[in-house]
Every structure is written in structure tokens, then in C-alpha cells.
Amino acid sequence: MSKRPHRVADVGCGTGSFAVRLARAGHNVVGVDPSAEMLRFARSRPGPELVRWIDGDATDLPDEAFDSAIMSGHAFQNLLTGCGPRAGQLRNQHPL
């Protein structure tokens, strides 16, 4: 396994606990979530400056490459409820 920092997209980051943990471990993390309330909480926890927060969904991620993308908790359900075509768009827009 590589020891270098990874560029990680945390899709559906919610309150940001995992995003901040990854950032504290030295990774470059972008957290994206459609809930302004969740992001407000994420920004209030210790270490919010370590993560780039985006109010939106996966299609709002910056147009740059990521080493990995994660979806923890219940975030994946968003791809199953009317967002199916967006999964293909995301894959083409942000290849891993």
C-alpha cells in the first residue's frame, strides 16, 4: 500500500467525522453533501480547516482526479433513488 497522501472524495460526507479523520491522517479530502445543516455541523467540529467542504452532490466535485471516493453510512442510497444516471456521469467526470 502506498504511503503517499491520497486525494479522497467523501461523497455524502454528512457531519464530516470520517472526512476529518482521513485529513488528520494526511490525506487531501474533499467532503461533499447536499445538506447545509450537516455541513454546518461538519464545519463546527475540531479540524474543519483540513477538509474542503462543498454544499452539493457528487456532480459538484471539482473537476480534478481523485485517488479514491468513499460513501459511508447511508450515502449510497442516493444513487438508488432517482440518481442512477448520475453515477455514470460521475464515473466519466472523475475517473479514479
Side-chain angles (χ1 to χ4, degrees):
M1 182 185 297
S2 172
K3 298 280 185 187
R4 70 175 175 80
H6 286 237
R7 293 204 27 82
V8 180
D10 186 352
V11 180
C13 65
T15 62
S17 63
F18 196 53
V20 170
R21 286 178 64 195
L22 287 171
R24 283 193 173 138
H27 301 291
N28 300 309
V29 182
V30 176
V32 60
D33 199 280
S35 170
E37 186 174 329
M38 292 285 210
L39 289 175
R40 237 185 330 277
F41 186 90
R43 290 180 177 113
S44 73
R45 72 173 45 258
E49 71 283 353
L50 301 173
V51 177
R52 183 168 22 153
W53 306 104
I54 297 175
D55 185 355
D57 62 27
T59 61
D60 296 308
L61 284 166
D63 193 22
E64 54 196 56
F66 291 91
D67 297 305
S68 53
I70 59 168
M71 296 180 81
S72 59
H74 297 290
F76 188 76
Q77 71 188 0
N78 292 310
L79 294 177
L80 303 176
T81 56
C83 295
R86 286 187 152 178
Q89 176 187 359
L90 178 62
R91 183 179 57 246
N92 294 332
Q93 185 177 353
H94 303 284
L96 295 177

